[in-house]
Amino acid sequence: MGGTSGAAGFRLADLARLVGGRVVGDGDRVVTGVATLEAAAPEHLTFLANPRYRRAAETTKAGAILLAPGSEIEGRDLLLADHPYLALAGILEAFHPDTPPPGGVSPDARVGQGVHLGRDVSVGPFAVVGDGSHLADGVVVGAGCVLGEECVIGEGSRLHPRVVVYPRTRLGARCIVHSGAVLGADGFGFATKDGVHRKIPQVGRVILEDDVEVGANSAVDRGALGDTVVGRGTKIDDLVMLAHGVRVGAGGLIAAQAGVAGSAELGARVTLAGQSGCSGHIRIGDDVVVAAKTAVFDDVASGQFVAGVPATDHRAWKRAVAALKDLPRLRAEVRRLRDRMESLERERSERSEEDR
Amino acid sequence: MGGTSGAAGFRLADLARLVGGRVVGDGDRVVTGVATLEAAAPEHLTFLANPRYRRAAETTKAGAILLAPGSEIEGRDLLLADHPYLALAGILEAFHPDTPPPGGVSPDARVGQGVHLGRDVSVGPFAVVGDGSHLADGVVVGAGCVLGEECVIGEGSRLHPRVVVYPRTRLGARCIVHSGAVLGADGFGFATKDGVHRKIPQVGRVILEDDVEVGANSAVDRGALGDTVVGRGTKIDDLVMLAHGVRVGAGGLIAAQAGVAGSAELGARVTLAGQSGCSGHIRIGDDVVVAAKTAVFDDVASGQFVAGVPATDHRAWKRAVAALKDLPRLRAEVRRLRDRMESLERERSERSEEDR
Amino acid sequence: MGGTSGAAGFRLADLARLVGGRVVGDGDRVVTGVATLEAAAPEHLTFLANPRYRRAAETTKAGAILLAPGSEIEGRDLLLADHPYLALAGILEAFHPDTPPPGGVSPDARVGQGVHLGRDVSVGPFAVVGDGSHLADGVVVGAGCVLGEECVIGEGSRLHPRVVVYPRTRLGARCIVHSGAVLGADGFGFATKDGVHRKIPQVGRVILEDDVEVGANSAVDRGALGDTVVGRGTKIDDLVMLAHGVRVGAGGLIAAQAGVAGSAELGARVTLAGQSGCSGHIRIGDDVVVAAKTAVFDDVASGQFVAGVPATDHRAWKRAVAALKDLPRLRAEVRRLRDRMESLERERSERSEEDR
């Protein structure tokens, strides 16, 4: 069962209208769901976003194919869209309309004093909302969430079950926070004297701007004095760690298990691939891409693609890796050169003996 | 207090019968618990599974020793079993019988509409079970768990406190899920245009087959279109991340803080050691072992043991690491060779001057 | 809003008395909060702990500066303290006094049978405390926490919301555990035969000594037979994993996303930087520092500073990294040497032809 299907089917022509595309073939064909090229059956729409899979698209059993103009496949019913993957988002939303939980505060939730509840707010069972918090219109707080005092959650934001939001945290509009995420725990700050670590009170906040998504079991710590800020539209995957005072620009993508140490600043549209890390107090420019497993210890200029530990230009890293692989051979080569050198030198000294 | 003790003691002979082993020495000796070689006292059974620790086994204060035939220690009461470590599992179960929580649904739990509850199901306080879910016989849902709609939990599976299971997730029989784990959160999928990331609805599922264990605070994301599947008997440690559409074969071992990116496929009996990672859309064969901290960026054939970033054959990696350590010396050697070369060349040119 | 401000202001002279420092300038100056050098306004106290930022201190808009004797800045109101960062802790506590939650057990909490509740214990809504547990004076159990049977929580310890503590876990006094942390889940122990992994019951405990802090979503597993022990005053950041039977000495610092495999022993005052890892069954001496991203596979002697995969002396690692960067150039050099060698050898063989 690799496919997916909504309650009702859609005519291709209707889907084309929905996503601003056009049909080649039978616009009246009805598809009942979306599936991958391999898993699709005749009742499905499938899609070709990556030209690498063209072969599979030619042989898919799908009834219709969503793809970009210029990559048409003959004899098939096609839905052409300039950005097939973007169009896919809209089509999937049509097949799987978001079913918001029933509005209202569960009788099993505990909402503190002086809490503002906007219109159509939903608070699930066993959730706790701290005194003085502000939940804007359409906010969804899942079952078992705990929000501290004076939190602000922007319009339409959704906290999945069992998210914890420490006091004074602020979320913009349309944020999504997945289960287990913790926003606003204390940063890791201690003053050490004679081997004893004294806690530095962490009195800053966490601020997520609009349209931020945070994955399951990620942790974004509050600032020590200032704030930890995640810019508009940045998407954060699971098990990510953002330390106190980190600033992430707009439009970032931070993949699973990446981590950013205290007070580091990331520009706009930065990508951190999986399991990468950034040291504290560094500055990473706009549009930087950090490869998986990389450790960034120093500033990175805008537009760079870096890899390795420590991070370096991606191509330089690839060359170094290739050279490293070749290193045992190189050592053998040097050993042979030394032997040949010795033989030449021996000869020379014999010659000079003779010359004498 | 390194040892452990059950309520009552056991005769060695009874333990031998339990695990299909045999006693050498006094079968009537009673042991009241199991302890490590170092921590054991005369009332304890200890065990020797790794021959490296034979020395410690000879001097342990334990009253009896569990070990394999062929490695007997003279003058001690022994319990011989072909697989001592496997036998240990059975013996520990005898000393520490699992005490399932009291059956029944806590009055403080909230069970939705149309939920099937099998025999002897236990649902703890403040747990939430979504509409249409199916809990088979003997299922245990710990305190504070949240299950979405239409989840299926197989016979005898146990969710420790505060697990989250998103809608439509399916668990087989006898699965164990530790606290904080999140099954079925959205995969990290976005269509990006002009720096804006639009969410691709994640409409696949998570499926854990029978006998899967998932560690504390791990995250297994639901598939984008298809399913994320963890094969029968695979064991997953803490803080592991499996992305959307990952497929893990049967009998795998995935150690703590490992991560697998979207749509990667792992064969049967694959071991991922701690903090290792696999790129998306790759295929890792059966019986592959991935060393700790390794990053696998490409397909790996069955039976390989790989290490490094990027992953390579484990022995080649060890050679490269050794060569890298030796690299400063090699550079010095090359510098000396160049000097000697220059001296030879200088001489030659002088000689050819003379010859002229 | 980079700064922070308490309800009331403080006179510099009073702050000096509080932290055992002294004022240079106007002791009657009132500051209403603390801010970083950049963010501070005239009503703020700021601080200079790192001499690198002296320049910024000279131009800060802060009304007063906390710094060490010997680094005075002319014409400013100063608060001199021998350890400015340590003094900052006390000053922030004065501005932001900890507001413990109201004492008492929430009517929405479920406390088991035979539980000892000390004076001024607070148990939040939807928290569960297992039978036979012992909460000493002043313990705070946040909303949604789940404690198993027979847990012991020492005086003044605080569990933030939604912590899980498995049965028989023991915490000392003044511990802080952040949201999402899981203490005492099963270690990852299996006996494998014919590709089937049989669970080894994990019957040891987790013991946190006094003054331990555990970050958000970290996991400390219970011992297999013995105990997992975290020494007095050790601080653990977010998303850290300590496996079964690990022993961490006193005064350690374990940064985010670090992991320690089973039965490894860390001495006193060990620092594990972010995303580092230690293999199981190794011994790391006192005062060892493990750099970020490092993998320690073998024992490390006391006082070492190690880096790399596998870990080696930090300076040796830096040299190897530099040499690696230079490796493509070195290969080219060796290729040229070989060519020159061949040319010399060719000449020699021509010469010996002539000589014949």
Side-chain angles (χ1 to χ4, degrees):
Chain A
M1 281 259 314
T4 168
S5 65
F10 287 92
R11 288 170 63 247
L12 264 195
D14 293 333
L15 292 176
R17 196 159 30 236
L18 179 75
V19 301
R22 65 189 177 84
V23 174
V24 172
D26 179 9
D28 286 327
R29 177 185 276 272
V30 171
V31 287
T32 62
V34 181
T36 59
L37 290 165
E38 293 77 21
E43 67 270 24
H44 289 135
L45 173 71
T46 190
F47 65 100
L48 174 65
N50 184 337
R52 241 174 55 184
Y53 298 121
R54 184 173 177 86
R55 188 81 234 191
E58 283 166 357
T59 60
T60 181
K61 297 200 173 73
I65 309 175
L66 164 67
L67 39 57
S71 56
E72 286 86 348
I73 294 173
E74 218 153 299
R76 310 294 296 253
D77 290 332
L78 306 176
L79 198 173
L80 300 184
D82 290 342
H83 297 92
Y85 201 49
L86 202 63
L88 178 68
I91 289 169
L92 282 169
E93 285 168 5
F95 275 109
H96 302 268
D98 204 20
T99 50
V105 175
S106 163
D108 294 315
R110 293 294 168 263
V111 175
Q113 301 195 301
V115 169
H116 168 88
L117 297 175
R119 275 177 301 120
D120 301 321
V121 163
S122 165
V123 181
F126 313 127
V128 176
V129 180
D131 294 351
S133 285
H134 182 107
L135 310 188
D137 294 352
V139 163
V140 175
V141 175
C145 286
V146 181
L147 280 68
E149 298 80 41
E150 293 174 44
C151 290
V152 176
I153 312 292
E155 198 172 328
S157 283
R158 176 168 192 174
L159 310 185
H160 282 272
R162 260 194 41 213
V163 165
V164 175
V165 184
Y166 277 59
R168 295 195 296 124
T169 299
R170 303 175 75 95
L171 275 67
R174 297 172 304 278
C175 290
I176 298 173
V177 184
H178 284 282
S179 292
V182 176
L183 307 177
D186 286 348
F188 198 61
F190 302 91
T192 300
K193 192 187 160 198
D194 304 332
V196 174
H197 309 299
R198 178 162 177 189
K199 186 175 178 67
I200 305 284
Q202 305 286 304
V203 302
R205 299 174 299 177
V206 165
I207 297 176
L208 307 186
E209 295 179 358
D210 295 344
D211 298 301
V212 168
E213 182 161 346
V214 178
N217 286 341
S218 286
V220 182
D221 283 357
R222 67 193 312 111
L225 280 175
D227 296 323
T228 304
V229 181
V230 179
R232 183 183 184 120
T234 286
K235 310 299 184 183
I236 298 172
D237 202 350
D238 301 350
L239 291 167
V240 166
M241 200 281 172
L242 302 183
H244 49 180
V246 163
R247 284 169 179 258
V248 179
L253 286 174
I254 305 188
Q257 297 175 319
V260 183
S263 299
E265 261 186 77
L266 280 62
R269 297 170 304 279
V270 167
T271 298
L272 300 186
Q275 300 184 334
S276 62
C278 300
S279 285
H281 296 274
I282 63 172
R283 157 101 200 143
I284 295 184
D286 295 340
D287 301 295
V288 166
V289 176
V290 175
K293 277 276 187 225
T294 294
V296 184
F297 294 142
D298 293 295
D299 291 0
V300 177
S302 291
Q304 299 291 302
F305 176 13
V306 297
V309 182
T312 181
D313 170 72
H314 184 258
R315 273 160 313 174
W317 173 78
K318 281 196 119 170
R319 275 195 301 271
V321 160
L324 180 58
K325 219 169 164 179
D326 186 49
L327 193 49
R329 197 202 52 73
L330 188 68
R331 282 164 96 191
E333 174 79 47
V334 169
R335 217 174 299 122
R336 278 194 301 275
L337 278 174
R338 201 185 45 210
D339 293 347
R340 291 156 73 182
M341 179 68 76
E342 274 164 15
S343 133
L344 281 177
E345 289 170 339
R346 210 176 312 113
E347 233 171 274
R348 171 186 59 174
S349 76
E350 287 164 11
R351 208 163 49 233
S352 68
E353 289 273 323
E354 288 169 22
D355 287 0
R356 237 185 283 154
Chain B
M1 283 258 314
T4 167
S5 64
F10 286 93
R11 287 170 65 245
L12 265 193
D14 293 334
L15 292 176
R17 197 158 31 237
L18 180 74
V19 300
R22 65 187 175 86
V23 174
V24 172
D26 179 9
D28 286 328
R29 179 185 275 274
V30 171
V31 288
T32 61
V34 181
T36 59
L37 291 166
E38 294 76 22
E43 68 270 22
H44 289 135
L45 174 70
T46 190
F47 66 101
L48 175 64
N50 184 337
R52 238 174 61 185
Y53 298 121
R54 183 171 177 88
R55 187 83 232 191
E58 286 168 356
T59 58
T60 180
K61 295 201 174 74
I65 308 174
L66 165 66
L67 37 59
S71 56
E72 286 87 347
I73 294 173
E74 219 154 299
R76 310 294 297 253
D77 290 333
L78 307 176
L79 199 173
L80 300 185
D82 289 344
H83 297 91
Y85 202 48
L86 202 63
L88 179 67
I91 290 170
L92 282 169
E93 285 168 5
F95 275 109
H96 303 269
D98 204 20
T99 51
V105 174
S106 162
D108 294 316
R110 293 294 168 264
V111 175
Q113 301 195 300
V115 170
H116 169 88
L117 296 174
R119 274 177 301 121
D120 300 320
V121 162
S122 165
V123 181
F126 313 127
V128 177
V129 180
D131 294 350
S133 286
H134 181 106
L135 310 188
D137 295 352
V139 163
V140 175
V141 175
C145 287
V146 180
L147 280 67
E149 298 79 42
E150 293 174 45
C151 291
V152 176
I153 313 292
E155 197 174 328
S157 283
R158 176 168 192 174
L159 310 184
H160 282 272
R162 263 194 39 213
V163 165
V164 174
V165 184
Y166 276 60
R168 294 195 297 123
T169 299
R170 304 175 75 95
L171 276 67
R174 297 172 304 279
C175 290
I176 298 173
V177 184
H178 283 282
S179 293
V182 176
L183 307 177
D186 287 349
F188 198 61
F190 302 91
T192 300
K193 192 186 162 198
D194 304 332
V196 174
H197 311 298
R198 178 162 177 190
K199 186 175 179 68
I200 305 285
Q202 304 287 304
V203 302
R205 297 174 302 175
V206 165
I207 297 177
L208 307 187
E209 295 179 357
D210 296 343
D211 299 301
V212 168
E213 182 161 346
V214 178
N217 286 339
S218 286
V220 181
D221 283 357
R222 67 193 313 113
L225 280 175
D227 296 323
T228 304
V229 181
V230 179
R232 181 184 186 120
T234 286
K235 310 298 183 184
I236 297 173
D237 201 352
D238 301 350
L239 292 165
V240 165
M241 201 278 173
L242 302 184
H244 50 181
V246 164
R247 285 170 179 256
V248 179
L253 286 175
I254 305 188
Q257 297 175 319
V260 183
S263 300
E265 261 186 76
L266 280 61
R269 298 170 303 280
V270 167
T271 297
L272 300 186
Q275 300 184 334
S276 63
C278 299
S279 284
H281 296 274
I282 63 172
R283 158 96 200 145
I284 296 184
D286 295 340
D287 301 295
V288 166
V289 175
V290 175
K293 276 275 188 227
T294 294
V296 184
F297 294 142
D298 293 296
D299 291 0
V300 178
S302 290
Q304 298 292 302
F305 176 13
V306 297
V309 182
T312 180
D313 170 71
H314 184 259
R315 273 160 314 175
W317 174 77
K318 281 196 118 171
R319 275 196 302 270
V321 160
L324 180 57
K325 219 169 162 179
D326 186 48
L327 192 49
R329 199 202 52 73
L330 188 69
R331 284 164 94 189
E333 174 80 48
V334 170
R335 217 173 299 122
R336 277 193 304 274
L337 278 174
R338 200 184 46 211
D339 292 347
R340 289 157 75 183
M341 179 69 75
E342 273 163 16
S343 135
L344 282 177
E345 288 171 340
R346 209 176 312 112
E347 236 173 86
R348 172 185 61 174
S349 77
E350 286 164 14
R351 207 164 48 231
S352 67
E353 290 271 324
E354 288 169 23
D355 288 358
R356 235 184 285 154
Chain C
M1 279 259 314
T4 167
S5 64
F10 286 92
R11 288 170 63 246
L12 265 195
D14 293 334
L15 292 176
R17 196 157 31 236
L18 179 74
V19 300
R22 67 189 175 82
V23 174
V24 172
D26 179 9
D28 286 328
R29 177 184 275 275
V30 170
V31 287
T32 62
V34 181
T36 59
L37 291 164
E38 293 76 22
E43 67 270 23
H44 289 134
L45 173 70
T46 190
F47 66 101
L48 173 66
N50 184 336
R52 240 174 57 187
Y53 298 120
R54 184 174 176 87
R55 187 83 231 187
E58 286 166 355
T59 59
T60 180
K61 295 200 175 73
I65 309 174
L66 165 66
L67 38 60
S71 56
E72 286 88 346
I73 294 173
E74 218 152 299
R76 311 294 296 254
D77 290 332
L78 306 176
L79 198 173
L80 300 185
D82 289 342
H83 298 91
Y85 201 48
L86 201 64
L88 179 68
I91 290 169
L92 283 168
E93 286 168 5
F95 275 109
H96 303 269
D98 204 20
T99 51
V105 175
S106 162
D108 294 317
R110 293 295 168 261
V111 174
Q113 301 195 301
V115 170
H116 168 88
L117 296 175
R119 275 178 299 120
D120 301 321
V121 163
S122 165
V123 181
F126 313 127
V128 177
V129 180
D131 294 350
S133 285
H134 181 107
L135 310 187
D137 296 351
V139 162
V140 175
V141 175
C145 287
V146 181
L147 280 67
E149 298 80 40
E150 294 175 42
C151 290
V152 176
I153 313 292
E155 197 173 327
S157 282
R158 177 169 191 172
L159 310 185
H160 281 272
R162 261 196 40 215
V163 165
V164 175
V165 184
Y166 276 58
R168 296 195 296 124
T169 299
R170 303 174 76 93
L171 276 67
R174 297 172 304 278
C175 290
I176 298 172
V177 184
H178 284 283
S179 293
V182 176
L183 307 178
D186 286 349
F188 197 61
F190 302 91
T192 301
K193 192 187 160 197
D194 305 332
V196 174
H197 310 300
R198 176 159 179 193
K199 185 175 179 68
I200 305 284
Q202 304 286 304
V203 301
R205 299 174 299 175
V206 165
I207 296 177
L208 307 186
E209 296 180 356
D210 296 343
D211 298 301
V212 168
E213 183 160 346
V214 178
N217 285 341
S218 287
V220 182
D221 283 357
R222 64 192 317 109
L225 280 176
D227 296 323
T228 304
V229 180
V230 179
R232 183 184 185 119
T234 285
K235 310 298 184 185
I236 297 173
D237 201 352
D238 301 350
L239 292 166
V240 166
M241 200 280 173
L242 302 184
H244 49 179
V246 163
R247 285 172 178 255
V248 179
L253 286 174
I254 304 186
Q257 296 175 320
V260 183
S263 300
E265 260 186 77
L266 280 61
R269 297 170 304 279
V270 167
T271 298
L272 300 186
Q275 298 183 335
S276 61
C278 301
S279 284
H281 296 273
I282 63 172
R283 158 98 201 144
I284 295 184
D286 296 340
D287 301 295
V288 166
V289 176
V290 175
K293 276 275 187 225
T294 294
V296 184
F297 293 142
D298 293 295
D299 290 1
V300 178
S302 290
Q304 297 292 301
F305 176 14
V306 298
V309 182
T312 180
D313 169 72
H314 183 259
R315 272 160 314 173
W317 173 78
K318 281 197 116 169
R319 275 196 301 270
V321 160
L324 180 59
K325 219 169 163 178
D326 186 47
L327 193 49
R329 198 202 52 72
L330 188 69
R331 283 164 95 188
E333 174 80 47
V334 169
R335 216 174 300 122
R336 278 194 303 274
L337 278 173
R338 201 183 47 210
D339 293 347
R340 292 156 73 182
M341 179 68 75
E342 274 163 17
S343 135
L344 281 177
E345 288 170 338
R346 209 176 313 114
E347 232 172 272
R348 173 186 59 174
S349 75
E350 286 164 12
R351 206 164 48 234
S352 67
E353 291 270 324
E354 289 169 22
D355 287 358
R356 235 185 286 155

